[in-house]
């Protein structure tokens, strides 16, 4: 565990010292600010619209951070040859992967925290109440979802050689699932047989990331999600993450390093 | 007791493209290094030195044969607890300072917190990077990076050092320092296994050497014995053994 944590800290430190996160954050702030400034009519619904835009930006930015940060980890270790002195120490390949996973997950978690704090400031400037618990639930589910994405990207970075193609593939898959995932079964109904089963198969196998998207919880100030459902969500995310990490380990375990 | 044992080692690289020939980097290598020895692993470019080390460190699985460190098969990660390794090309996490890098590796070796700072101070002093310890590694010169590499290889106070061309890229003073460090480690009873193209240096610090050529072991023995047998210096012996025509 110490080893895994030591590895994770390096990843977090890397993100803090790189510029990407700051650029995305400033971009989000600017875009939200622009969206806020077109609020000429001071209409009540405009607040909701502003919150929706800000949340959408946060979702996109968090996916970009999670995927780019994860996709470059192992290719960089190999390209810069830092993996050699590292794995020459008593580190197993499983610890290496877990450390990278944990580091990326914690790093994106920290980024998420900054983003949601900004969102809190934005909405507090327009509204007088602060549903902190709603924020926490939505942010936590968002973070769980990113765990699955990070595990998938880590697997991708071992399977696909080029980091950029892996990043693109992951981004397209994740966006596809988020936008279309819940409709696949309905689409399948309208198809002819071999395709229908195939699409149904995909529908049942993919992680339904869209389930973790509870932005309405904060834009519409809905009631909190019950504890049982939260527990199920944690279990669901943990299962997929564990499955993807195991797959990554199986591929990486015996791979020659040069 | 043998620190390093290699039996019948064969290393092949299979390329991904179908139909490409398999490249054999090491064939039938047998080697034994005893505790406390300084062992020079020589051979021309492409002889298979780095490939052999890659097996010792578990980066590449042996195609056949076995390799052991302290009697433990190199496939077990625990075999690497008591070794220090300096890779052929050294690039470290550029966004870290030397101190942070060493702290990270010290954590990986699970060196107790109380000892950690002390160890880090000691190795930084040894490689003379004390003045630059809080600077990011990307601001280092090549020789400084090489010395940071040596520092990380020594962080766990290893009993066996595996160094792949430790003096490449160093100035004459740097080379001398590395020689001094190797000799000092020897006097502490440590084993050093290193590859080098600097034969003069090898002659002064090594107890024994092996010469590899095209993946095969050509010669192995005590430096003093070899010099006496051939009545020549190490460079001449080397050239003769790899079949290079001697200059008149
Ligand atoms: N990843 C690889 N794939 C295919 N062939 C390789 C690979 N790595 C090394 N080789 C080949 O194996 C042989 C031995 O290479 P190795 O790096 O072990 O030599 P070396 O003795 O370390 O040489 P040098 O003194 O130049 O460092 C060479 O012919 C090299 O081309
Ligand atoms: Mg080499």
């Amino acid at each position: 565990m110490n080893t895994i944590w030591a590895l994770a800290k390096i990843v977090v430190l890397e993100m803090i010292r790189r510029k990407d996160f700051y650029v995305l954050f400033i971009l989000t702030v600017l875009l939200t600010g622009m969206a806020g400034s077109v609020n000429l009519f001071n209409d009540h619904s405009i607040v909701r619209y502003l919150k929706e835009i800000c949340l959408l930006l946060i979702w996109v930015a968090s996916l970009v951070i999670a995927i780019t940060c994860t996709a470059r980890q192992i290719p960089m270790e190999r390209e810069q040859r830092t993996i050699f002195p590292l794995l020459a120490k008593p580190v197993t390949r499983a610890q290496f992967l877990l450390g990278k996973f944990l580091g990326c997950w914690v790093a994106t978690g920290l980024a998420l925290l900054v983003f949601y704090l900004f969102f809190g400031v934005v909405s507090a400037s327009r509204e007088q109440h602060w549903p902190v618990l709603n924020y926490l639930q939505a942010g936590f589910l968002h973070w769980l979802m990113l765990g699955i994405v990070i595990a998938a990207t880590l697997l991708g970075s071992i399977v696909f050689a080029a980091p950029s193609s892996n990043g693109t593939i992951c981004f397209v898959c994740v966006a596809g699932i988020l936008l279309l995932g819940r409709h696949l079964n309905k689409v399948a109904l309208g198809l002819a047989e071999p395709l229908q089963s195939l699409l149904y198969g995909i529908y049942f196998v993919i992680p339904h990331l869209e389930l973790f998207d509870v932005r309405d919880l904060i834009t519409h100030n809905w009631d909190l999600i019950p504890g049982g459902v939260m527990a199920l969500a944690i279990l669901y995310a943990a299962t997929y993450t564990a499955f993807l990490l195991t797959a990554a380990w199986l591929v990486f375990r015996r791979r020659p390093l040069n | 007791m043998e620190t390093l044992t290699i039996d019948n080692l064969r290393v092949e690289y299979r390329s991904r493209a179908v139909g490409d020939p398999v490249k054999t980097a090491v064939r039938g290598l047998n080697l034994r290094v005893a505790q406390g020895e300084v062992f020079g692993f020589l051979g021309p470019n492409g002889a298979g030195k780095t490939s052999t080390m890659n097996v010792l460190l578990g980066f590449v699985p042996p195609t056949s044969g076995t390799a052991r460190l302290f009697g433990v098969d190199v496939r077990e990660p625990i075999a690497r607890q008591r070794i220090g390794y300096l890779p052929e090309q050294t690039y470290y996490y550029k966004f870290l300072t030397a101190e942070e890098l060493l702290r990270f590796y010290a954590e990986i070796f699970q060196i107790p917190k109380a000892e950690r700072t002390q160890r880090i101070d000691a190795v930084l002093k040894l490689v003379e990077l004390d003045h630059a310890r809080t600077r990011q590694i990307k601001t280092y010169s090549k020789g400084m990076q090489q010395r940071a590499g040596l520092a990380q290889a020594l962080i766990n106070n290893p009993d066996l050092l595996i160094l792949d061309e430790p003096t490449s890229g160093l100035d004459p003073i740097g080379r001398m320092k590395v020689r001094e460090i190797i000799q000092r480690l020897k006097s502490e009873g440590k084993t050093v296994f290193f590859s080098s193209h600097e034969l003069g240096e090898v002659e002064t610090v090594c107890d024994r050497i092996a010469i590899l050529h095209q993946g095969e072991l050509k010669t192995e023995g005590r430096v003093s014995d070899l010099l006496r047998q051939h009545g020549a210096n190490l460079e001449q012996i080397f050239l003769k053994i790899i079949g290079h025509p001697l200059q008149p």
Side-chain angles (χ1 to χ4, degrees):
Chain A
M1 194 62 219
N2 283 336
T3 306
I4 296 172
W5 184 235
L7 277 155
K9 278 194 296 192
I10 296 295
V11 179
V12 175
L13 208 61
E14 186 210 12
M15 196 196 69
I16 292 174
R17 290 191 183 164
R18 278 178 72 113
K19 311 273 179 311
D20 327 18
F21 163 70
Y22 305 100
V23 171
L24 276 168
F25 182 65
I26 290 168
L27 215 63
T28 305
V29 172
L30 284 180
L31 287 174
T32 311
M34 263 158 60
S37 66
V38 296
N39 173 10
L40 300 173
F41 316 102
N42 214 5
D43 175 350
H44 196 72
S45 70
I46 210 80
V47 175
R48 216 177 71 199
Y49 146 82
L50 186 64
K51 281 164 79 176
E52 268 168 13
I53 290 208
C54 185
L55 277 178
L56 180 66
L57 288 171
I58 290 178
W59 267 71
V60 173
S62 71
L63 285 174
V64 172
I65 291 175
I67 291 174
T68 54
C69 172
T70 314
R72 71 167 175 258
Q73 287 305 324
I74 294 177
M76 280 250 287
E77 286 270 357
R78 301 186 67 154
E79 197 178 298
Q80 310 207 330
R81 311 187 126 259
T82 46
I83 197 168
F84 291 99
L86 179 58
L87 289 188
K89 301 190 166 43
V91 177
T92 62
R93 302 224 175 162
Q95 284 171 327
F96 175 75
L97 286 177
L98 282 175
K100 288 294 179 193
F101 167 77
L102 188 67
C104 293
W105 196 43
V106 170
T108 38
L110 289 174
L112 220 52
L113 202 65
V114 175
F115 277 117
Y116 274 98
L117 279 176
F118 167 68
F119 175 77
V121 171
V122 168
S123 66
S125 71
R126 302 295 167 115
E127 289 177 321
Q128 260 49 52
H129 80 287
W130 254 42
V132 176
L133 281 178
N134 288 29
Y135 286 8
L136 281 178
Q137 272 198 337
F140 181 67
L141 287 174
H142 188 171
W143 191 43
L144 284 182
M145 189 263 332
L146 289 174
I148 304 177
V149 172
I150 288 169
T153 312
L154 205 58
L155 171 62
S157 73
I158 302 167
V159 175
F160 307 113
S164 57
S165 66
N166 174 36
T168 316
I169 292 169
C170 290
F171 204 81
V172 169
C173 288
V174 169
I177 291 175
L178 282 171
L179 298 174
L180 306 173
R182 74 175 91 220
H183 306 302
L184 276 186
N185 54 345
K186 284 169 233 152
V187 177
L189 279 179
L191 290 176
E193 199 16 80
L195 274 175
Q196 186 177 33
S197 307
L198 184 75
L199 209 59
Y200 258 121
I202 294 176
Y203 178 75
F204 283 112
V205 170
I206 54 169
H208 283 274
L209 303 175
E210 74 277 3
L211 297 177
F212 294 85
D213 179 1
V214 290
R215 280 177 285 170
D216 291 342
L217 192 69
I218 21 194
T219 42
H220 298 283
N221 294 325
W222 282 357
D223 289 338
L224 286 176
I225 300 164
V229 177
M230 284 299 275
L232 271 181
I234 293 174
L235 192 69
Y236 186 87
T239 310
Y240 269 101
T241 307
F243 171 75
L244 288 163
L245 286 176
T246 311
W249 176 68
L250 287 175
V251 179
F252 189 58
R253 194 171 48 138
R254 294 257 173 264
R255 164 127 349 151
L257 277 188
N258 55 353
Chain B
M1 137 119 190
E2 269 150 9
T3 303
L4 190 163
T5 327
I6 296 174
D7 283 308
N8 258 318
L9 179 70
R10 185 178 183 87
V11 182
E12 288 173 1
Y13 293 106
R14 264 162 232 287
S15 66
R16 297 222 170 153
V18 193
D20 267 19
V22 173
K23 169 95 200 141
T24 308
V26 180
R27 43 192 109 208
L29 180 65
N30 288 292
L31 213 58
R32 288 187 166 29
V33 178
Q35 197 205 321
E37 267 186 329
V38 175
F39 194 95
F41 196 42
L42 314 181
N45 291 136
K49 304 181 294 295
T50 301
S51 301
T52 306
M53 292 186 173
N54 283 347
V55 169
L56 291 176
L57 295 154
F59 301 153
V60 175
T63 308
S64 65
T66 54
R68 290 165 182 280
L69 300 173
F70 305 104
V72 182
D73 194 290
V74 292
R75 276 175 259 211
E76 311 284 329
I78 196 67
R80 303 193 280 277
Q81 181 69 31
R82 287 162 64 200
I83 67 168
Y85 167 62
L86 176 70
E88 186 169 33
Q89 283 152 303
T90 53
Y91 296 102
Y92 296 96
Y93 302 95
K94 295 191 168 95
F95 53 92
L96 294 183
T97 67
E99 198 176 328
E100 287 166 340
L101 181 80
L102 293 175
R103 177 150 291 129
F104 166 54
Y105 287 139
E107 279 175 33
I108 286 194
F109 278 112
Q110 321 229 341
I111 299 173
K113 255 208 172 87
E115 262 176 64
R116 243 180 250 168
T117 314
Q118 201 188 331
R119 261 323 283 166
I120 292 171
D121 289 346
V123 292
L124 279 174
K125 200 162 199 159
L126 190 66
V127 302
E128 299 179 15
L129 274 181
D130 232 352
H131 62 286
R133 61 190 294 167
T134 54
R135 262 166 53 193
Q136 286 189 22
I137 294 178
K138 64 180 165 211
T139 68
Y140 284 12
S141 75
K142 186 171 177 223
M144 286 166 83
Q145 288 188 11
Q146 183 81 355
R147 282 186 278 154
L150 201 57
Q152 68 71 38
L154 294 168
I155 189 71
N156 58 329
N157 195 11
D159 295 319
L160 166 64
L161 273 136
I162 299 180
L163 312 174
D164 204 349
E165 301 186 27
T167 53
S168 75
L170 293 183
D171 63 16
I173 306 173
R175 280 162 200 258
M176 199 182 67
K177 290 272 182 247
V178 170
R179 274 206 302 276
E180 277 174 19
I181 291 173
I182 290 177
Q183 268 152 350
R184 186 165 148 179
L185 291 166
K186 179 184 160 60
S187 72
E188 289 169 7
K190 316 261 186 207
T191 314
V192 182
F193 180 79
F194 77 105
S195 76
S196 178
H197 293 297
E198 296 294 323
L199 298 180
E201 180 176 287
V202 168
E203 207 175 308
T204 48
V205 298
C206 288
D207 300 316
R208 285 202 304 142
I209 58 157
I211 298 180
L212 209 61
H213 184 39
Q214 293 174 346
E216 286 174 25
L217 185 66
K218 294 292 180 194
T219 291
E220 187 202 340
R222 300 198 69 78
V223 176
S224 49
D225 294 348
L226 287 171
L227 294 179
R228 191 152 25 81
Q229 270 169 32
H230 291 79
N233 69 21
L234 200 52
E235 189 168 79
Q236 291 161 328
I237 299 172
F238 181 89
L239 290 173
K240 193 164 121 198
I241 283 169
I242 66 163
H244 191 83
L246 285 176
Q247 310 291 321

